């Protein structure tokens, strides 16, 4: 599903954002036929959709591979009125944009291919569909017993060859009918996938009289395929399981004040929902009554519960722990933060990473080449060198099984999907395999200051009574004046005291401060500039102000007509986790740079406090972009951390854009390459480590698959390999790379 991308994203050419490449007709594959797991592929059949176009969605249980996808695509392309197809192989869902009077022509066309298309009714989607029913186990058991019996009868010579043949055929057809069916579909569509190769190999073995071997090969292949499908479904369901965190029912307040259990998907925005201690929260909302602690690990990855009170946000799928809460619903069930995360990761699963594109392209050339080579091995030695036809045909069949690029094709999507799921569990939302894989390249990280390194909320840090008489009443007068202002600095001072005095003749002085009468006296509360303008500055005061300003603090003074009475310093405080995050980044060999619109003094002070290598202040958005450009010019690979809106140009130009405070904000989830679901900067080094692990596992899998194939090809050519050894080699490597990729889920 082509998710919306931000206006500032992907309009640059310095790197290939494959995540948004839905029109590239990706040939991924899936568990049952050794295929990779593409999430969504968009096929445009007409240039312009007609005005009367409608969209219909179908679940097709048999559609689990590009073999079936190509078949459906070719069939529906012939139907007049079908304009666009969108295939979601992960969930076996097809979306058709068409101008047909109904959906019958589509379901009939798909039925003619031996598949069943179930229309998906509004409100039910892939996440809600039931899992495929379990196939009966007895045919496979029968296949195994018959294959073993064929081997034993043949080895002992206890019965004539025709008995061995009959027992072997029972094994082949009870276990391998599905493989033959898929192989036939693949061959009809000129697609040499593993099912086609296995069908040819087993049929070839039967034709040259290798009955027991043909039976054992088919049984071993079916068993290995079953294990592989189970392993792959674990990777596919790693994110889908999150949806089960959301309760189906919510307790909703009715118009007459009663509380009634209602289906979560029927609850509308603005309704008030009650959640008891120990219950999961069903929808996103804002607390209107009550106080509690909530476990938000499923959304933000935070290990500790978060305190919630009136005005705080709560998220669907999180666990209410201590007290009862009532909250006003802010998003429908299918638009909750959790639903958007799942949707975004489903999109990401379809975004092919660079390694996956390489492997797909490689296998498209490699498989036909291997088939041609096997044909040559079967024909040329007997014709040219007088070799035995039986021996060389047998070697060619073994070669077909060994050389299948199954392990290679399957290794990349499993690893990428596992990495994306592992990141989501940590509260890191990665928008595609390309970003997960590119994270290992970063060598410089640029960071915004406000809201990223700091909390983004100024607090009072210092108070000095310049006149001893104002040691106690100075904060009360300043708080009374500051409380009337809407400036964050004045409000930070007002928050320090609850006592308030009556203020008369109040006036705001833009860019300077405020003034007002308290107990008949006129007071000013303002900045350095106001003191200068009132002519009340002195060298001693200048020295005091300079010390505080060099520490990155904003200084505010309380004055009367005689001069300054008290001094207040306000600063945006650094998050406790920022310093740890910077240390971890440095340990990974990544240099850090702060880019902020704040004054250079403040920038230097904050940078020194958390250990950032370099800081630049007084920057406008275009200046931040220039800073990123200059780093690229020096050959660096740059990441940028910001809020996803103000830092848009710099985020767009960076190799990777990280958005902070993403929980609950549509913008961050939609626009960032990587969204951090809470304010913890330590998630960036965690992402880089995960990216490096993913890269290492991808490399291991490709090297392993190719190396073992090379060894077995040599053994096969020397005539030392048997067909069942070939199946063990091929499927053994496939399972090895799948389990290696799944290791990321355990981190």
């Amino acid at each position: 599903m082509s998710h919306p991308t931000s206006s500032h994203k992907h309009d640059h050419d310095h790197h290939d954002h494959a995540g948004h490449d839905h029109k590239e007709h990706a040939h991924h594959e899936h568990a049952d036929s050794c295929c990779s797991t593409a999430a969504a592929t968009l096929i445009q059949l007409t240039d312009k959709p007609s005005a009367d176009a409608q969209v219909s969605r179908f679940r097709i249980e048999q559609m689990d591979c590009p073999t079936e996808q190509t078949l459906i695509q070719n069939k529906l392309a012939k139907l007049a009125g079908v304009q666009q197809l969108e295939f979601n192989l992960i969930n076996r869902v097809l979306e058709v944009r068409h101008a047909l009077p109904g959906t019958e022509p589509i379901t009939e066309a798909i039925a003619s291919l031996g598949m069943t298309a179930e229309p998906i009714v509004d409100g039910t989607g892939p996440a809600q569909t039931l899992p495929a029913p379990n196939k009966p186990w007895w045919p496979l058991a029968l296949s195994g017993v018959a294959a073993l019996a064929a081997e034993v009868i043949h080895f002992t010579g206890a019965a004539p060859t025709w008995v061995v043949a009959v027992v072997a055929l029972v094994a082949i057809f009870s276990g391998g009918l599905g493989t033959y069916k898929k192989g036939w579909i693949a061959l009809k569509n000129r697609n040499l996938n593993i099912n086609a190769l296995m069908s040819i190999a087993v049929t070839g073995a039967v034709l040259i009289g290798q009955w027991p071997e043909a039976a054992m090969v088919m049984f071993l292949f079916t068993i290995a395929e079953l294990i592989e499908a189970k392993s792959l479904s674990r990777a596919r369901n790693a994110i889908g399981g999150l949806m089960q965190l959301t309760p189906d029912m919510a307790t909703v307040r009715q118009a007459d004040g009663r509380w009634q259990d209602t289906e979560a998907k029927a609850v509308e925005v603005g309704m008030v929902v009650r959640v008891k201690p120990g219950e999961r929260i069903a929808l996103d909302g804002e607390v209107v009554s009550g106080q509690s602690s909530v476990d938000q690990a499923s959304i933000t990855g935070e290990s500790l519960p978060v305190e919630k009170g009136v005005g705080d946000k709560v998220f669907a799928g999180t666990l209410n722990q201590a007290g009862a809460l009532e909250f006003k619903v802010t998003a429908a069930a299918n638009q909750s933060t959790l639903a958007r995360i799942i949707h975004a990761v489903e999109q990401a699963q379809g975004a092919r990473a660079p390694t996956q594109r390489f492997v797909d392209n490689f296998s498209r050339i490699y498989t036909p080449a291997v088939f041609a080579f096997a044909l040559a091995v079967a024909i040329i030695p007997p014709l040219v060198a007088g070799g035995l036809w039986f021996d060389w045909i047998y070697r060619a069949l073994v070669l077909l099984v060994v050389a299948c690029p199954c392990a290679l094709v399957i290794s990349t999507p499993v690893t990428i999907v596992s990495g994306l799921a592992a990141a989501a569990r940590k509260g890191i939302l990665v928008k595609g395999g390309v970003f997960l894989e590119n994270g290992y390249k970063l060598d410089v990280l640029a960071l915004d200051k406000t809201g990223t390194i700091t909390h983004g909320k100024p607090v009072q840090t210092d108070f000095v009574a310049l006149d001893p008489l104002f040691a106690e009443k100075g904060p009360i007068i300043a708080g009374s004046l500051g409380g009337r202002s809407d400036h964050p600095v004045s409000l930070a001072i007002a928050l320090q005291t609850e006592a308030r005095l009556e203020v008369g003749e109040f006036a705001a002085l833009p860019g300077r401060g405020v003034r007002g009468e308290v107990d008949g006296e006129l007071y000013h509360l303002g900045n350095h500039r106001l003191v200068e303008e009132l002519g009340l500055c002195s060298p001693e005061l200048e020295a005091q102000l300079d010390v505080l300003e060099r520490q990155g603090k904003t200084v505010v003074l309380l004055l009367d007509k005689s001069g300054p009475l008290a001094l207040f310093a306000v600063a945006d405080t650094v998050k406790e986790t920022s310093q740890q995050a910077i240390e971890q980044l440095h340990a990974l060999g990544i240099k850090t740079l702060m880019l902020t619109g704040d004054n250079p003094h403040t920038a230097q002070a904050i940078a020194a406090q958390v250990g950032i290598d370099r800081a630049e202040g007084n920057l406008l958005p275009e200046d931040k972009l220039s800073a990123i450009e200059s780093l690229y010019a020096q050959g660096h690979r740059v990441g940028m951390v910001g809020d996803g809106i103000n830092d848009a140009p710099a985020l767009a130009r960076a190799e990777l854009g990280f958005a902070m405070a993403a929980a609950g904000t549509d913008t961050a989830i939609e626009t960032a390459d990587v969204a951090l679901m809470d304010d913890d900067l330590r998630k960036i080094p965690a992402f880089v480590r995960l990216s490096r692990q993913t890269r290492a596992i991808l490399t291991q899998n490709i090297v392993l698959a190719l190396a073992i194939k090379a060894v077995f090809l040599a053994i096969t050519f020397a005539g030392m390999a048997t067909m069942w050894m070939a199946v063990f080699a091929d499927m053994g490597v496939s399972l090895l790379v799948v389990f290696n990729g799944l290791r990321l889920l355990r981190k």
Side-chain angles (χ1 to χ4, degrees):
M1 315 190 188
S2 48
H3 66 282
T5 50
S6 73
S7 58
H8 72 267
K9 270 282 168 216
H10 317 305
D11 54 352
H12 45 291
D13 56 12
H14 73 280
H15 60 303
D16 175 16
H17 282 193
H20 307 275
D21 242 359
H22 293 306
K23 285 192 186 177
E24 185 185 338
H25 299 345
H27 284 281
H28 296 319
E29 312 184 352
H30 169 289
D32 292 347
S33 49
C34 215
C35 308
S36 56
T37 45
T41 309
L42 188 68
I43 313 291
Q44 201 79 40
L45 299 174
T46 55
D47 293 334
K48 278 188 180 178
S50 60
D52 58 344
Q54 54 181 306
V55 175
S56 303
R57 298 174 76 228
F58 306 90
R59 180 174 168 84
I60 305 169
E61 194 56 51
Q62 301 86 348
M63 183 181 74
D64 53 15
C65 184
T67 311
E68 288 84 22
Q69 178 181 313
T70 308
L71 207 60
I72 294 166
Q73 184 185 322
N74 293 343
K75 191 77 178 175
L76 294 184
K78 294 172 187 170
L79 277 181
V82 175
Q83 300 168 2
Q84 180 182 294
L85 305 172
E86 191 163 4
F87 293 91
N88 186 322
L89 294 182
I90 281 183
N91 295 304
R92 298 182 175 95
V93 171
L94 169 65
E95 190 173 283
V96 185
R97 183 179 287 274
H98 62 93
L100 299 167
T103 58
E104 287 80 13
I106 297 168
T107 53
E108 284 169 13
I110 293 170
S112 72
L113 302 172
M115 303 183 209
T116 310
E118 289 175 49
I120 295 175
V121 186
D122 286 347
T124 66
Q128 287 82 18
T129 50
L130 296 170
N134 287 328
K135 293 175 184 172
W137 59 270
W138 66 263
L140 189 58
L142 176 63
S143 176
V145 170
L148 192 61
E151 288 280 7
V152 170
I153 295 168
H154 175 72
F155 184 71
T156 58
T161 305
W162 69 267
V163 175
V164 177
V166 168
V167 175
L169 285 171
V170 168
I172 290 167
F173 287 111
S174 59
L177 264 182
T179 302
Y180 265 122
K181 190 178 173 186
K182 288 179 181 176
W184 174 240
I185 291 170
L187 286 169
K188 276 203 306 185
N189 286 272
R190 298 172 190 166
N191 187 317
L192 287 170
N193 68 4
I194 181 66
N195 294 293
L197 295 180
M198 285 306 304
S199 301
I200 292 165
V202 171
T203 306
V206 165
L207 292 176
I208 61 172
Q210 291 290 311
W211 295 102
E213 196 140 12
M216 191 54 82
V217 162
M218 187 59 88
F219 171 66
L220 288 173
F221 173 72
T222 311
I223 280 282
E225 204 181 31
L226 193 68
I227 297 169
E228 200 173 82
K230 297 283 185 199
S231 307
L232 272 173
S233 65
R234 186 181 160 205
R236 290 212 327 274
N237 297 336
I239 292 295
L242 282 176
M243 194 49 107
Q244 294 166 6
L245 293 174
T246 313
D248 295 329
M249 306 296 285
T251 308
V252 183
R253 188 164 67 201
Q254 305 302 303
D256 60 4
R258 288 182 305 108
W259 293 95
Q260 185 177 317
D261 285 348
T262 309
E263 280 196 16
K265 63 184 180 187
V267 179
E268 294 175 10
V269 174
M271 288 182 168
V272 175
V273 172
R274 183 173 67 191
V275 59
K276 296 174 189 169
E279 284 185 344
R280 283 203 178 271
I281 294 167
L283 298 128
D284 283 8
E286 188 175 295
V287 177
V288 293
S289 169
Q291 196 146 3
S292 182
S293 57
V294 175
D295 180 352
Q296 296 190 160
S298 57
I299 299 288
T300 64
E302 289 170 284
S303 54
L304 295 173
V306 179
E307 292 301 317
K308 298 288 182 182
V310 175
D312 290 332
K313 287 181 179 178
V314 290
F315 304 108
T318 57
L319 182 65
N320 182 32
Q321 293 192 324
L325 289 175
E326 291 177 17
F327 63 89
K328 186 165 71 177
V329 175
T330 55
N334 62 351
Q335 287 298 313
S336 71
T337 301
L338 183 62
R340 291 203 317 275
I341 290 171
I342 291 165
H343 179 68
V345 176
E346 278 184 353
Q347 298 298 341
Q349 288 174 350
R352 298 188 304 155
T355 307
Q356 197 167 337
R357 288 202 304 278
F358 157 73
V359 165
D360 286 347
N361 292 332
F362 175 82
S363 65
R364 271 205 284 277
I365 299 160
Y366 170 87
T367 310
V370 161
F371 191 77
F373 181 61
L375 210 57
V377 165
I379 295 168
I380 293 170
L383 286 178
V384 175
L388 292 172
W389 281 98
F390 179 93
D391 281 354
W392 286 100
I393 288 173
Y394 182 77
R395 286 184 202 187
L397 294 174
V398 174
L399 195 76
L400 274 186
V401 178
V402 170
C404 174
C406 184
L408 198 60
V409 167
I410 214 163
S411 65
T412 46
V414 173
T415 306
I416 294 292
V417 170
S418 298
L420 293 169
R425 286 178 181 179
K426 293 174 192 281
I428 305 167
L429 181 59
V430 187
K431 294 302 290 292
V434 64
F435 309 123
L436 179 64
E437 201 177 323
N438 281 344
Y440 84 98
K441 299 177 184 175
L442 294 184
D443 65 342
V444 175
L445 186 70
L447 304 101
D448 179 37
K449 178 183 77 74
T450 308
T452 300
I453 296 164
T454 65
H455 287 104
K457 292 178 184 173
V459 294
Q460 185 180 311
T461 54
D462 299 78
F463 167 66
V464 180
L466 301 173
D467 181 334
L469 295 173
F470 284 83
E472 283 189 23
K473 69 175 183 176
I476 297 172
I477 295 170
S480 303
L481 289 166
R484 296 284 301 274
S485 168
D486 59 359
H487 194 282
V489 172
S490 298
L491 292 172
I493 294 168
L495 281 173
Q496 292 300 302
T497 174
E498 290 182 8
R500 291 285 183 271
L501 299 169
E502 193 69 38
V503 178
E505 302 293 322
F506 178 83
L509 309 170
R512 292 161 183 80
V514 296
R515 71 163 182 245
E517 278 188 6
V518 178
D519 293 336
E521 282 286 328
L522 182 67
Y523 293 97
H524 285 81
L525 182 70
N527 58 17
H528 194 164
R529 181 192 291 177
L530 179 65
V531 185
E532 296 273 7
E533 287 180 2
L534 293 173
L536 298 172
C537 214
S538 66
E540 295 79 24
L541 184 62
E542 286 277 4
Q544 261 182 307
L545 296 183
D546 190 54
V547 169
L548 290 166
E549 283 172 355
R550 283 188 181 278
Q551 293 171 16
K553 296 173 181 175
T554 301
V555 183
V556 175
L557 293 120
L558 179 68
L559 313 112
D560 66 4
K561 60 189 176 197
S562 62
L565 309 170
L567 174 156
F568 303 84
V570 171
D572 182 4
T573 54
V574 170
K575 293 175 191 169
E576 301 76 14
T577 53
S578 294
Q579 188 174 348
Q580 295 169 26
I582 301 302
E583 284 171 4
Q584 289 176 29
L585 286 165
H586 289 163
L588 291 166
I590 296 173
K591 298 220 173 290
T592 49
L593 164 69
M594 185 199 290
L595 303 175
T596 178
D598 216 330
N599 69 73
H601 278 322
T602 302
Q604 296 295 344
I606 299 290
Q609 194 176 335
V610 296
I612 286 175
D613 297 317
R614 188 157 62 89
E616 294 181 19
N618 284 343
L619 300 182
L620 295 169
E622 54 266 34
D623 300 324
K624 292 184 181 183
L625 175 61
S626 301
I628 300 286
E629 293 278 9
S630 67
L631 286 166
Y632 272 118
Q634 295 163 34
H636 292 292
R637 309 302 288 264
V638 191
M640 172 73 193
V641 194
D643 60 12
I645 303 163
N646 302 340
D647 304 300
L651 281 166
R653 184 64 182 95
E655 186 103 13
L656 282 174
F658 296 88
M660 295 292 289
T665 44
D666 294 345
T667 314
I669 290 178
E670 298 295 350
T671 63
D673 299 329
V674 181
L676 309 182
M677 301 307 291
D678 65 2
D679 280 339
D680 195 342
L681 262 184
R682 291 174 300 182
K683 288 203 166 38
I684 295 177
F687 166 79
V688 173
R689 285 192 290 270
L690 182 64
S691 173
R692 291 181 183 182
Q693 287 164 354
T694 304
R695 177 75 182 179
I697 286 175
L698 285 170
T699 308
Q700 289 163 14
N701 284 348
I702 289 169
V703 170
L704 191 69
L706 290 177
I708 291 178
K709 288 206 178 298
V711 169
F712 262 84
L713 284 173
I715 295 172
T716 304
F717 211 65
M720 293 158 62
T722 61
M723 276 185 75
W724 66 264
M725 281 170 63
V727 171
F728 264 132
D730 181 62
M731 284 299 160
V733 177
S734 294
L735 294 176
L736 212 56
V737 298
V738 165
F739 290 136
N740 196 29
L742 289 174
R743 282 194 304 135
L744 288 169
L745 286 175
R746 294 203 303 272
K747 296 288 180 188

